[in-house]
Amino acid sequence: AQSVTQLDSHVSVSEGTPVLLRCNYSSSYSPSLFWYVQHPNKGLQLLLKYTSAATLVKGINGFEAEFKKSETSFHLTKPSAHMSDAAEYFCVGHNQGGKLIFGQGTELSVKP
Amino acid sequence: KAGVTQTPRYLIKTRGQQVTLSCSPISGHRSVSWYQQTPGQGLQFLFEYFSETQRNKGNFPGRFSGRQFSNSRSEMNVSTLELGDSALYLCASSLQGLAGVTSSYEQYFGPGTRLTVT
């Protein structure tokens, strides 16, 4: 991807409600896209990846993302939020130059 | 299988000094990439090493350098530290690295080194 934009810098949900973290990409070719999660004082952990095999990608911890070429989107969803999901989430693209392009991150808060 | 390890975890340095950070990749991984994470700039790619060769680099000044050893361990050096170099430095390893469009370049990140420059 040439650029990756996360549309929300902060999202707050209640425990048990759905999660939607939005990501748009800009690319002149079919991109590879990833979602990573970063808990405080930890490194990034891969949640899921899209590499053109299937448009709906399932990841760890109940997360999934759908690649929509017509909308240039790769939104991350989860049906029911858990307190442990509170973290920062990064949408990441891979460009042909061999670099990862990170979105600015979305901080997810989960209220009890 | 042990994950990516980074040492030290925390570091405090003074302006003008230099610093060396270390990263040990997952066993069998030949690619190591380095990233700088700051609140203002987010995550930015520094460089990638594959089989002891720098394969790609980001837009950072020459004060930032790195190297990779034959066992794939990597070090990153920053000379003449500036206040703006204060950041979390993350290392990531992968089997095949970031080159190529169809290769599997899933990256595994270490916990990072928190560098504070005073």
Side-chain angles (χ1 to χ4, degrees), chain B residues 54-100:
Chain B
Q54 187 181 85
R55 190 156 64 176
N56 218 331
K57 69 188 301 285
N59 298 321
F60 279 81
R63 300 186 297 108
F64 292 81
S65 64
R67 59 178 175 169
Q68 186 179 34
F69 302 95
S70 58
N71 61 359
S72 294
R73 189 178 70 85
S74 177
E75 288 183 346
M76 191 192 91
N77 185 77
V78 187
S79 62
T80 319
L81 283 166
E82 300 177 359
L83 294 179
D85 297 333
S86 295
L88 179 67
Y89 289 89
L90 292 164
C91 158
S93 77
S94 67
L95 272 171
Q96 299 177 1
L98 296 172

Side-chain angles (χ1 to χ4, degrees), chain A residues 34 36 94 98 100, chain B residues 1 4 23-33 35 48-51 55 68 72 91-99 103-110:
Chain A
F34 309 82
Y36 281 86
H94 175 266
L100 290 185
Chain B
K1 189 184 257 190
V4 178
C23 171
S24 293
I26 291 172
S27 177
H29 285 191
R30 296 166 62 191
S31 167
V32 173
S33 298
Y35 300 86
E48 181 204 3
Y49 285 87
F50 184 84
S51 293
R55 190 156 64 176
Q68 186 179 34
S72 294
C91 158
S93 77
S94 67
L95 272 171
Q96 299 177 1
L98 296 172
S103 61
S104 173
Y105 29 72
E106 181 175 323
Q107 295 209 303
Y108 295 83
F109 283 79

